[in-house]
Amino acid sequence: MTQMTRRFVVGAVALAACAGLAALPEVSEEAVAALGVTTGTPQMNGFVFVDGKYLPPPYTVTRRGNGIFINRIQVVQPVPWVGAAAADAPKKALDEDGDFEVVEEEEEGEAAEAEAAGQEELLFGDADDGAKGGAHAIDALFDDVAAPKKKAPERKAAPPQPTAEVMSKQQVQELKGKLDALRKSYEVALGRGEVYFFAQQHSRVNGTYGSAKTLFGVLPAALRAAQSPQDLMARLQQGGVYFLDAQTCADLYKNRTSFMQLDERRKQIEADEAAKRAAAGRLR
């Protein structure tokens, strides 16, 4: 390995370490009060990694307010929530004397008005849509691809982000239903033995039970022998694992000392598969 290559590898690891510092916003008490809490049933199947760190089962998927948690760790927050007090509080800025002065919403410029109008249309739809606007808007919050922005009408003040005070009861219930459906989808997938890689700084990675079985057959030994995130990715691909991207491999490499724990899970998978084959043979 050349000196330039070594510098590149060290820099990549450093950037990956910095990427794990950020965290999802805490779920506000206002969101919990408005949306409540839904606790799932513990699942013994499936595989969960958070920022490259393996979490052993059982997995309990819980929705608390607008956040989705697995074993008390928040893994997804698909919809932002701002408390009414924070949303309605006047903004302040330093004047020439160094004191705070109130800054009116109108002074934020046309760009802020356009952005705020786009957020309002995304959440609540056009005024001409009537009752249909809320339902379509809440659906849009869970789409992978953001809806195209329309030309924003002129507005004087930026609307607050979603709160119980500005959403109707029906819209709050629709949002709650969408979040509960998302929570349930994770629970069902884990029950089927799927694998999830959740991360703060990049997209979630998900694989079937077949993918997870192949992964655990290769990952423990690959982590033990890997000298860099790139080396880990190459070893995984040599073992038939292609669904993990470079960022996920960097997260796994940061937690490479967990290879012994992962090897224990590999042995468990092999034992379970052997028991299934034996049971199938007895039924013939």
Side-chain angles (χ1 to χ4, degrees), residues 87-207:
D88 296 337
K91 298 184 178 180
K92 296 183 178 181
L94 288 173
D95 59 17
E96 296 179 356
D97 298 328
D99 298 325
F100 283 104
E101 63 178 357
V102 175
V103 178
E104 298 296 336
E105 294 288 351
E106 292 86 346
E107 296 177 4
E108 294 184 354
E110 296 179 358
E113 294 177 5
E115 181 181 359
Q119 291 177 354
E120 184 178 19
E121 289 174 1
L122 178 62
L123 291 171
F124 304 109
D126 291 335
D128 296 337
D129 289 342
K132 297 189 296 181
H136 292 304
I138 292 175
D139 287 341
L141 289 171
F142 293 84
D143 292 339
D144 292 332
V145 180
K149 292 184 178 181
K150 302 177 182 179
K151 185 177 180 181
E154 293 185 1
R155 310 223 171 171
K156 289 295 183 181
Q161 293 192 37
T163 66
E165 285 72 22
V166 299
M167 296 177 70
S168 68
K169 291 183 179 180
Q170 179 181 354
Q171 289 171 330
V172 170
Q173 289 303 311
E174 289 172 354
L175 178 57
K176 179 180 177 181
K178 289 287 183 180
L179 290 167
D180 279 335
L182 180 62
R183 185 211 67 79
K184 186 66 175 179
S185 71
Y186 288 132
E187 182 174 276
V188 171
L190 289 173
R192 291 195 299 257
E194 295 188 14
V195 57
Y196 280 98
F197 290 84
F198 296 97
Q200 306 289 350
Q201 293 295 310
H202 54 89
S203 301
R204 181 191 70 242
V205 176
N206 172 227

Side-chain angles (χ1 to χ4, degrees), residues 216-240:
F216 271 78
V218 180
L219 182 59
L223 275 177
R224 184 174 185 176
Q227 299 298 313
S228 69
Q230 293 82 359
D231 185 25
L232 174 61
M233 188 172 186
R235 290 174 183 274
L236 291 176
Q237 291 180 351
Q238 290 172 2

Side-chain angles (χ1 to χ4, degrees), residues 7-50:
R7 290 177 180 174
F8 175 78
V9 171
V10 172
V13 174
L15 287 174
C18 292
L21 296 178
L24 292 171
E26 292 187 7
V27 175
S28 67
E29 292 303 322
E30 291 87 351
V32 175
L35 298 169
V37 177
T38 302
T39 302
T41 303
Q43 302 294 316
M44 293 303 301
N45 298 324
F47 312 86
V48 175
F49 293 79
V50 179

